[in-house]
């Protein structure tokens, strides 16, 4: 049977620009949370017309990668469509469901990290713990949340599973967005710090079971703090 010849199509300039800007964002050229250059600056840099640029920016806004803020420019919201989707999905889910997902990922990653980590990765975890202590001492909640997210990503990277790392990187923003703003009191903050030290100690000692238990305990502490109850079974 004779095949039908498909029509030849050339991508429009705006579509090419969408692909170019999307690649730029994905590669970290414009990190998440930063404001992109002004419209005029982009027109001059890219050599495109205003309508072409606006069409491309509008498409990236629709995809969830960019976010316009009235009177303040346009900001990078996420590095990929999947990350954007996960942020929206997590924000609409029950908090305990997000915690359950976090527990599954981080328990496995912590056990694997204990078996596969190298000295450089272990040192990074120790340094992030020190940063977390400094943020807690300064009562800087935003910094504490940011450092905590970096710490757990470091543990996941040490697990050495590229697919897990990629999935967690997509989910990381969603988890942080959904679970941020915990507002620890002094007692919970100390328990939180102690459990993180326990996790790193287990990873350093290459005790996979202890690492998984510590990771699970961190999530339980968050869940119990959410519920306003003490963390049952946890040592003080």
């Amino acid at each position: 049977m004779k095949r039908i010849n498909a029509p030849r199509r050339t991508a429009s300039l705006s579509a090419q620009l969408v692909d170019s800007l999307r690649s730029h964002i994905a590669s970290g050229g414009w990190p998440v949370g930063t404001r992109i250059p002004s419209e005029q600056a982009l027109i001059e840099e890219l050599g495109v017309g205003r309508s072409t640029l606006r069409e491309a920016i509008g498409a990236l806004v629709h995809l969830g990668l960019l976010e316009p803020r009235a009177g303040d420019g346009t900001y990078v919201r996420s590095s990929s469509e999947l990350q954007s989707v996960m942020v929206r999905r997590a924000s609409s889910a029950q908090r305990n469901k997000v915690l359950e997902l976090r527990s599954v990922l981080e328990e496995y990653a912590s056990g694997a990290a204990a078996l596969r980590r190298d000295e450089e990765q272990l040192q990074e975890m120790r340094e992030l713990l020190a940063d977390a202590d400094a943020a807690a001492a300064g009562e800087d909640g935003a910094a504490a949340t940011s450092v905590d997210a970096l710490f757990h990503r470091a543990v996941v990277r040490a697990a050495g599973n590229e697919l897990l790392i990629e999935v967690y990187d997509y989910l990381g923003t969603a988890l942080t967005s959904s679970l941020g703003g915990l507002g620890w009191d002094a007692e919970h903050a100390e328990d939180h710090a102690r459990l993180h030290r326990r996790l790193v100690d287990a990873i350093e000692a290459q005790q996979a079971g202890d690492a998984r238990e510590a990771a699970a305990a961190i999530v339980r502490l968050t869940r119990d703090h959410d519920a306003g109850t003490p963390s049952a079974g946890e040592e003080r």
Side-chain angles (χ1 to χ4, degrees):
M1 181 181 296
K2 186 177 180 180
R3 298 180 61 185
I4 301 173
N5 293 323
R8 296 180 179 274
R9 296 181 179 177
T10 301
S12 67
L13 184 57
S14 62
Q16 294 178 55
L17 184 55
V18 167
D19 288 341
S20 177
L21 295 178
R22 182 163 49 188
S23 296
H24 189 67
I25 293 170
S27 67
W30 291 339
V32 173
T34 61
R35 183 172 59 185
I36 70 172
S38 68
E39 182 178 88
Q40 187 58 42
L42 287 173
I43 289 172
E44 293 174 1
E45 178 180 353
L46 299 171
V48 298
R50 193 174 305 275
S51 61
T52 297
L53 178 63
R54 288 182 176 178
E55 186 176 347
I57 295 297
L60 294 174
V61 169
H62 179 72
L63 290 172
L65 273 64
L66 297 179
E67 177 186 10
R69 299 180 187 176
D72 193 29
T74 300
Y75 286 75
V76 180
R77 182 179 182 184
S78 63
S79 61
S80 72
E81 294 95 319
L82 178 57
Q83 185 183 73
S84 176
V85 168
M86 290 308 303
V87 169
R88 290 198 300 269
R89 182 65 185 90
S91 65
S92 66
Q94 294 179 359
R95 197 173 173 98
N96 67 311
K97 300 299 184 185
V98 178
L99 284 167
E100 187 173 310
L101 174 60
R102 175 181 168 182
S103 181
V104 169
L105 294 174
E106 292 184 2
E107 280 185 55
Y108 174 82
S110 297
L115 300 176
R116 301 170 183 167
R117 57 77 180 165
D118 59 32
E119 291 302 317
E120 183 177 345
Q121 291 166 332
L122 189 61
Q123 179 62 28
E124 180 185 12
M125 294 177 211
R126 292 289 186 194
E127 290 174 356
L128 287 168
L129 285 185
D131 291 344
D133 289 342
E139 299 183 350
D140 187 339
T145 298
S146 177
V147 172
D148 188 66
L150 290 173
F151 172 83
H152 287 287
R153 285 193 178 102
V155 172
V156 172
R157 287 196 299 272
N161 182 319
E162 293 182 359
L163 183 57
L164 175 63
I165 294 168
E166 184 176 353
V167 170
Y168 192 85
D169 279 345
Y170 285 138
L171 290 173
T173 301
L175 294 174
T176 301
S177 298
S178 179
L179 300 176
L182 293 174
W184 301 105
D185 56 32
E187 183 178 6
H188 279 94
E190 176 52 37
D191 282 349
H192 192 251
R194 174 182 55 79
L195 288 171
H196 281 67
R197 290 192 294 270
R198 177 175 143 191
L199 172 57
V200 175
D201 287 344
I203 291 174
E204 181 174 22
Q206 297 188 296
Q207 297 295 322
D210 290 347
R212 287 194 296 268
E213 289 178 8
I218 291 170
V219 177
R220 285 200 301 274
L221 180 68
T222 304
R223 182 198 62 208
D224 293 343
H225 177 256
D226 262 7
T229 59
S231 184
E234 287 303 311
E235 60 190 29
R236 298 288 180 183

